[in-house]
Amino acid sequence: EADIYQTPRYLVIGTGKKITLECSQTMGHDKMYWYQQDPGMELHLIHYSYGVNSTEKGDLSSESTVSRIRTEHFPLTLESARPSHTSQYLCASSERTGGFPNTGELFFGEGSRLTVL
Amino acid sequence: KNQVEQSPQSLIILEGKNCTLQCNYTVSPFSNLRWYKQDTGRGPVSLTIMTFSENTKSNGRYTATLDADTKQSSLHITASQLSDSASYICVVSDRGSTLGRLYFGRGTQLTVWP
């Protein structure tokens, strides 16, 4: 089983609240990711990091922000939650790979299901 | 446009039966293809990886195939068990950069009935 942990697993909050979704991994992986997943839809990459002090926006525009101060920790923050932010958020990590082929197995946390009322 | 299409969208089978899930992709240049299993309420877990030169790979009761010419992959599950009920996601990686980019299918929702 992968050593990557997300908290909280479930969160129900009101509009306008600030929330932080926590993600930690103990595998020493350089690369970490946040994905958004809605029922019946593919995973969409919203943020990724290649290492400490490195963060990039993914393919899906998101109002959330991330930070990577420590290798093992990659939290996601929403300053002002809205109902449109209701979704499942999955954190993942992988080993740094270079060159071809990129085998890049992703190790996922169990997800944080966010509901904004 | 790079895409990954999976079929069927959902599938119901009886315990002990076999089934095959399909994945068609247009991703180019191709690096590898992974099948992930996602149990309800959990994160996806990798089942197998297929690279360009591989045609078939097995992982227990799961057998993946890859036809790089037609850009198709299948995941065959033998003697299904109730624990096989999950979403199966096909993920294709390109090699446009050294770190690769991932393209996700929408998954096939498999339900195994007793």
Side-chain angles (χ1 to χ4, degrees), chain B residues 11-54:
Chain B
L11 181 63
I12 299 174
I13 61 173
L14 294 176
E15 187 178 15
K17 298 297 186 182
N18 304 335
C19 68
T20 300
L21 315 180
Q22 299 288 345
C23 174
N24 296 339
Y25 62 92
T26 60
V27 177
S28 181
F30 174 84
S31 175
N32 61 70
L33 182 150
R34 284 187 183 274
W35 285 94
Y36 284 83
K37 178 187 179 189
Q38 184 176 21
D39 292 318
T40 301
R42 308 290 294 271
V45 175
S46 177
L47 290 174
T48 185
I49 178 174
M50 305 292 290
T51 57
F52 187 86
S53 59
E54 296 175 306

Side-chain angles (χ1 to χ4, degrees), chain A residues 57-78:
Chain A
K57 289 189 177 296
D59 307 316
L60 183 67
S61 175
S62 174
E63 294 165 346
S64 59
T65 59
V66 293
S67 62
R68 190 86 183 276
I69 299 173
R70 305 197 313 269
T71 298
E72 62 272 21
H73 195 214
F74 192 42
L76 180 147
T77 298
L78 271 169

Side-chain angles (χ1 to χ4, degrees), chain A residues 9 37 100 102-103 110, chain B residues 32 34 38 41-42 95 99:
Chain A
R9 291 289 313 280
Q37 184 181 34
F100 171 76
N102 170 28
T103 57
E110 298 204 330
Chain B
N32 61 70
R34 284 187 183 274
Q38 184 176 21
R42 308 290 294 271
R95 54 184 174 91
L99 294 171

Side-chain angles (χ1 to χ4, degrees), chain B residues 4 8 13 17 20 29 33 37-38 44 47 53 57-58 65 72 76 82 88 91 97 101 107 111 113:
Chain B
V4 177
I13 61 173
K17 298 297 186 182
T20 300
L33 182 150
K37 178 187 179 189
Q38 184 176 21
L47 290 174
S53 59
K57 184 176 287 186
S58 292
T65 66
Q72 296 180 324
H76 185 76
L82 298 179
Y88 293 82
V91 184
S97 69
R101 181 195 162 121
T111 303
W113 283 3

Side-chain angles (χ1 to χ4, degrees), chain A residues 15-116:
Chain A
T15 297
K17 299 293 185 182
K18 177 180 179 179
I19 65 109
T20 296
L21 304 181
E22 301 287 350
C23 177
S24 296
Q25 50 97 4
T26 59
M27 297 172 282
H29 288 168
D30 286 324
K31 294 160 69 173
M32 296 190 74
Y33 316 81
W34 277 102
Y35 287 90
Q36 189 171 333
Q37 184 181 34
D38 294 308
M41 301 296 290
E42 63 267 43
L43 275 71
H44 289 288
L45 181 67
I46 51 176
H47 298 283
Y48 60 97
S49 167
Y50 290 152
V52 172
N53 294 325
S54 154
T55 61
E56 301 287 345
K57 289 189 177 296
D59 307 316
L60 183 67
S61 175
S62 174
E63 294 165 346
S64 59
T65 59
V66 293
S67 62
R68 190 86 183 276
I69 299 173
R70 305 197 313 269
T71 298
E72 62 272 21
H73 195 214
F74 192 42
L76 180 147
T77 298
L78 271 169
E79 290 293 333
S80 180
R82 295 205 301 270
S84 61
H85 297 138
T86 294
S87 188
Q88 164 99 325
Y89 293 85
L90 287 165
C91 180
S93 71
S94 66
E95 292 180 328
R96 175 178 287 278
T97 58
F100 171 76
N102 170 28
T103 57
E105 177 180 357
L106 294 175
F107 295 88
F108 285 91
E110 298 204 330
S112 293
R113 180 162 296 281
L114 174 65
T115 302
V116 184

